[in-house]
């Protein structure tokens, strides 16, 4: 059911963006809220002061739920569509948050976190796909990368809320922050009522009239508009090509079909693997514990610095939000991974002096590199996987492929969060070297395996893998030059732009057609 609450054109596009951002604010809030709770005295008393291994399981089982949510979305996401999937996600979140806020035993809390994680897995799998299918290629990177920016906003809200509630005392100091997850869930449910379904999903289901109306509403133009016709034709052409490969099955995961589906799914998985294995959730979930136990700061100062460190996450995320389509995808990933490796190396070196006469000062100095780590992560590795995964996948597996990609995020998030309390206790200063080595290895992985996808339409991605990056961009450059000349010759409406720099539907024909008319004009 779709109520036309937000009208057409710009207001509708803004509403789509705000809804997707709200879904990611919830994701960030849920990730950050437990960081300030696991050291809460009342919480520790209630759950029996769990040992580091049990603490890791209590916190990380949420990520196991995320993995399950990704698998569930793999099964039902393409059948339900984008809007219903988001409703399903928020239903799981509301049930899980209610159970968490009312927990009185460890099994109760673990089950509740697992259920909440299922909702988060569906949410984070669906939302980037939905946003990427409802925006222009020229701004897709900025819009989708704004979603992880709001992950940072949610984390910061959770941290400072936890800090404020730490002065209250009693069980309300941790039950209320957990229960407030439902505020974001109900907001998303309401907003989605006013939004349309993805036109690409509607075309895939044969509901062409509905899809065409959505396109017209999004751009506030009539059906006859050239932009609408080009986009519709491009989607239908890509669907026809992709349907030749048949229904995607697990057995086809590594097969090389015409559009290289298997390779693209594995690239999506690897991108989300890199997002997690650089060490980010060690910092997000446990920075206050690390500052208190490994650096030697007081509980109050650790909470304050934890909030400030995670604020750097938001500040860094402003860079890709405004500049990602200019910077591309590959360079920020490589330079970002280098910066993360250097930050981890410096943390390890400074913590290694903790047992010396000057150990307190050198350990305190390591705090600076937690700041640089979060700033660099926010500016690079945070946002790019959430943009890259939905845009690189072919339409016939976009929902399922996004689920596989996000499952990597959830699975390796679970792994890192589960082992963190153990490794930071067993390796008090050596643990950052593990993430330093991993981040350095990601530079080579991106350089040799990942093509640049910036400023290509979703339909052009198939041509990127069937024709090659150089050929595709050469044709785009040729088309851009020819249409620029045509526009320069347009006097009093006698000439019109022929072809589109953002659509590769019939690219060669359009490029040659334009060039022919330009030559005649000259």
């Amino acid at each position: 059911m779709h109520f036309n609450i937000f009208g057409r054109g710009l207001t509708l596009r803004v509403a789509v963006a705000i809804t997707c951002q709200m879904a990611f604010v919830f994701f960030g809030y849920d990730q950050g809220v437990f960081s300030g709770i696991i050291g809460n005295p009342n919480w520790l008393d209630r759950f029996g002061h769990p040992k580091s291994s049990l603490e890791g399981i209590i916190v990380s089982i949420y990520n196991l739920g995320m993995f399950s949510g990704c698998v569930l979305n793999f099964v039902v996401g393409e059948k339900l569509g984008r809007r219903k999937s988001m409703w399903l996600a928020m239903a799981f979140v509301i049930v899980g948050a209610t159970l968490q806020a009312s927990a009185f035993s460890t099994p109760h809390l673990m089950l509740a976190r697992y259920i909440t994680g299922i909702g988060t897995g569906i949410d984070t799998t669906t939302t980037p796909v939905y946003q990427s299918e409802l925006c222009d290629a020229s701004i897709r990177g900025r819009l989708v990368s704004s979603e992880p920016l709001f992950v940072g906003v949610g984390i910061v809200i959770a941290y400072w809320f936890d800090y404020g509630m730490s002065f209250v005392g009693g069980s309300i100091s941790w039950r209320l922050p957990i229960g407030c997850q439902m505020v974001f869930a109900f907001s998303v449910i309401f907003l989605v009522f006013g939004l349309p379904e993805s036109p690409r999903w509607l075309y895939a289901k044969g509901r062409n009239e509905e899809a065409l109306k959505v396109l017209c509403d999004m751009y506030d133009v009539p059906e006859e508009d050239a932009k609408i016709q080009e986009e519709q034709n491009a989607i239908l052409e890509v669907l026809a090509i992709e349907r030749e490969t048949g229904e995607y099955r697990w057995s086809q995961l590594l097969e090389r079909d015409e559009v290289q589906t298997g390779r693209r799914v594995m690239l999506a998985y690897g991108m989300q693997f890199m997002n997690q294995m650089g060490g980010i959730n060690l910092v997000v979930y446990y920075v206050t514990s690390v500052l208190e136990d490994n650096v030697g700061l007081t509980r109050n100062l650790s909470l304050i610095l934890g909030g400030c460190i995670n604020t750097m996450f938001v500040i860094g995320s402003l860079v890709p939000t405004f500049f990602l389509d200019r910077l591309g995808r590959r360079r920020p990933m490589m330079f970002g991974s280098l910066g993360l490796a250097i930050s981890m190396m410096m943390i390890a070196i400074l913590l290694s002096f903790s047992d010396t006469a000057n150990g307190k000062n050198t350990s305190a100095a390591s705090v600076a590199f937690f700041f640089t780590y979060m700033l660099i992560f926010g500016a690079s590795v945070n946002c790019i996987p959430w943009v890259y995964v939905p845009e690189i996948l072919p339409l016939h597996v976009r929902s399922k492929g996004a689920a596989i990609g996000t499952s990597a995020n959830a699975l390796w998030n679970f792994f890192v969060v589960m082992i963190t309390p153990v490794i930071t206790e067993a390796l008090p200063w050596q643990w950052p070297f593990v993430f330093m080595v991993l981040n350095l290895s990601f530079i080579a992985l991106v350089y040799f395996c990942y093509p640049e996808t910036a400023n290509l339409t979703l339909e052009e991605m198939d041509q990127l893998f069937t024709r090659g990056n150089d050929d595709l961009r050469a044709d785009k450059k040729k088309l851009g030059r020819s249409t620029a000349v045509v526009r320069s010759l347009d006097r009093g409406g006698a000439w019109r732009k022929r072809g589109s720099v953002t659509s590769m539907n019939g690219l060669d024909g359009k490029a040659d057609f334009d060039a022919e008319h330009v030559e005649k004009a000259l």
Side-chain angles (χ1 to χ4, degrees):
M1 185 180 295
H2 166 217
F3 298 100
N4 189 11
I5 299 173
F6 303 109
R8 292 163 57 97
L10 179 61
T11 57
L12 182 56
R13 295 196 298 272
V14 169
V16 170
I18 290 174
T19 303
C20 295
Q21 289 159 358
M22 182 64 70
F24 271 80
V25 169
F26 153 73
F27 179 35
Y29 183 92
D30 204 36
Q31 281 194 307
V33 73
F34 242 74
S35 180
I37 287 174
I38 54 178
N40 183 293
N42 184 273
W43 185 86
L44 291 170
D45 291 339
R46 168 57 59 190
F47 298 103
H49 292 264
K51 294 181 180 180
S52 58
S53 56
L54 180 57
E55 178 187 304
I57 294 173
I58 291 172
V59 177
S60 64
I61 197 169
Y62 163 79
N63 304 108
L64 196 59
M66 274 188 65
F67 177 78
S68 301
C70 296
V71 173
L72 178 60
N73 199 52
F74 184 94
V75 176
V76 304
E78 208 61 46
K79 297 175 184 176
L80 293 177
R82 314 308 185 222
R83 295 171 72 241
K84 289 180 181 178
S85 294
M86 292 174 76
W87 278 327
L88 178 64
M90 293 305 120
F92 274 106
V93 168
I94 291 167
V95 172
T98 302
L99 291 173
Q100 282 189 76
S102 61
F104 282 92
S105 67
T106 300
H108 183 169
L109 179 64
M110 292 173 66
L111 176 63
R113 285 186 60 74
Y114 179 79
I115 293 172
T116 308
I118 293 174
T120 307
I122 300 171
D123 171 36
T124 54
T125 300
T126 304
T127 303
V129 173
Y130 183 64
Q131 177 69 89
S132 67
E133 292 181 338
L134 284 168
C135 63
D136 276 328
S138 60
I139 61 170
R140 185 178 62 244
R142 279 172 284 170
L143 278 177
V144 180
S145 66
S146 72
E147 294 167 3
L149 163 66
F150 282 86
V151 173
V153 172
I155 291 172
V156 170
I157 292 171
Y159 262 90
W160 290 115
F161 194 10
D162 281 343
Y163 178 68
M165 293 301 293
S166 68
F167 294 100
V168 174
S171 64
I172 191 68
S173 64
W174 59 270
R175 294 189 190 275
L176 182 60
I178 289 176
C180 281
Q181 297 171 72
M182 290 184 282
V183 173
F184 303 107
F186 280 116
S187 298
V188 172
I189 288 173
F190 169 75
L191 289 168
V192 170
F193 270 108
L195 301 181
E197 183 54 84
S198 161
R200 288 171 171 83
W201 182 83
L202 291 170
Y203 277 120
K205 297 301 177 182
R207 294 158 61 177
N208 293 16
E209 291 184 6
E210 291 179 62
L212 183 59
K213 184 178 185 308
V214 171
L215 286 175
C216 295
D217 287 345
M218 290 300 297
Y219 299 109
D220 196 15
V221 292
E223 295 180 8
E224 299 78 17
D225 187 86
K227 178 179 178 64
I228 299 298
Q229 292 300 314
E230 286 178 2
E231 187 155 345
Q232 177 180 241
N233 292 337
I235 294 170
L236 292 174
E237 182 178 320
V238 168
L239 275 173
I241 294 173
E242 292 180 349
R243 279 170 177 162
E244 292 179 6
T245 64
E247 180 66 21
Y248 180 76
R249 300 180 181 87
W250 281 105
S251 60
Q252 298 173 301
L253 182 64
L254 298 178
E255 286 187 8
R256 295 189 62 181
D257 55 21
E258 184 181 352
V259 292
Q260 298 190 38
T261 299
R263 177 189 171 193
R264 291 157 76 173
V265 169
M266 294 308 295
L267 288 175
Y269 186 94
M271 185 61 77
Q272 289 288 13
F273 172 83
M274 288 185 279
N275 179 267
Q276 286 302 311
M277 289 306 291
I280 179 58
N281 275 309
L282 182 148
V283 182
V284 170
Y285 282 96
Y286 294 108
V287 67
T288 55
S289 300
V290 169
L291 294 176
E292 193 174 352
D293 300 333
N294 297 71
V295 179
L297 304 180
T298 65
R299 171 71 180 168
N300 186 62
L301 183 56
S302 297
L303 284 170
I304 293 173
L305 286 174
C308 294
I309 288 169
N310 280 281
T311 301
M312 301 302 292
F313 186 108
V314 178
I315 295 172
S317 296
L318 292 172
V319 175
T321 298
F322 293 105
F323 302 109
L324 185 60
D325 289 309
R326 294 186 196 174
L327 297 172
R329 314 295 190 248
R330 284 162 47 88
R331 284 184 298 172
M333 275 295 292
M334 290 188 287
F335 284 110
S337 295
L338 177 61
L340 298 181
I342 293 172
S343 296
M344 282 294 183
M345 179 185 70
M346 293 305 299
I347 291 170
I349 291 172
L350 291 168
L351 287 179
S352 70
F353 292 99
S354 58
D355 293 330
T356 65
N358 230 7
K360 188 174 182 180
N361 291 332
T362 55
S363 295
S366 68
V367 174
F369 292 96
F370 283 101
F371 276 85
T372 61
Y373 180 94
M374 290 302 279
L375 181 67
I376 294 167
F377 185 87
S380 56
V381 184
N382 173 42
C383 294
I384 293 171
W386 297 105
V387 178
Y388 199 90
V389 168
E391 71 183 4
I392 201 174
L393 293 167
L395 181 57
H396 69 290
V397 296
R398 190 162 294 150
S399 180
K400 295 178 179 179
I404 292 174
T406 308
S407 73
N409 184 287
L411 184 62
W412 295 105
N413 190 335
F414 167 75
F415 175 76
V416 171
V417 174
M418 183 178 67
I419 68 169
T420 291
V422 178
I423 65 168
T424 54
E425 183 178 319
L427 305 170
W429 63 267
Q430 298 96 330
W431 58 264
F433 282 127
V434 175
F435 298 105
M436 179 196 77
V437 172
L438 285 168
N439 279 300
L440 289 175
S441 69
F442 296 156
I443 299 172
L445 184 61
V446 172
Y447 183 81
F448 288 108
C449 299
Y450 283 81
E452 182 58 71
T453 59
N455 298 312
L456 299 179
T457 69
L458 296 179
E459 285 66 49
E460 288 169 358
M461 294 299 169
D462 283 355
Q463 298 194 38
L464 174 65
F465 285 91
T466 56
R467 300 176 56 198
N469 195 15
D470 293 339
D471 290 344
L472 178 61
R473 293 186 182 276
D475 279 345
K476 282 176 70 72
K477 188 175 181 181
K478 175 183 176 183
L479 181 57
R481 284 199 305 268
S482 62
T483 53
V485 174
V486 171
R487 286 196 301 271
S488 70
L489 294 172
D490 190 347
R491 296 292 184 270
W495 288 84
R496 289 289 179 266
K497 178 181 175 182
R498 314 294 295 266
S500 170
V501 176
T502 61
S503 176
M504 297 298 295
N505 178 39
L507 173 84
D508 294 330
K510 286 188 178 182
D512 293 339
F513 182 77
D514 284 338
E516 177 186 347
H517 281 260
V518 170
E519 288 170 3
K520 288 180 180 179
L522 294 175

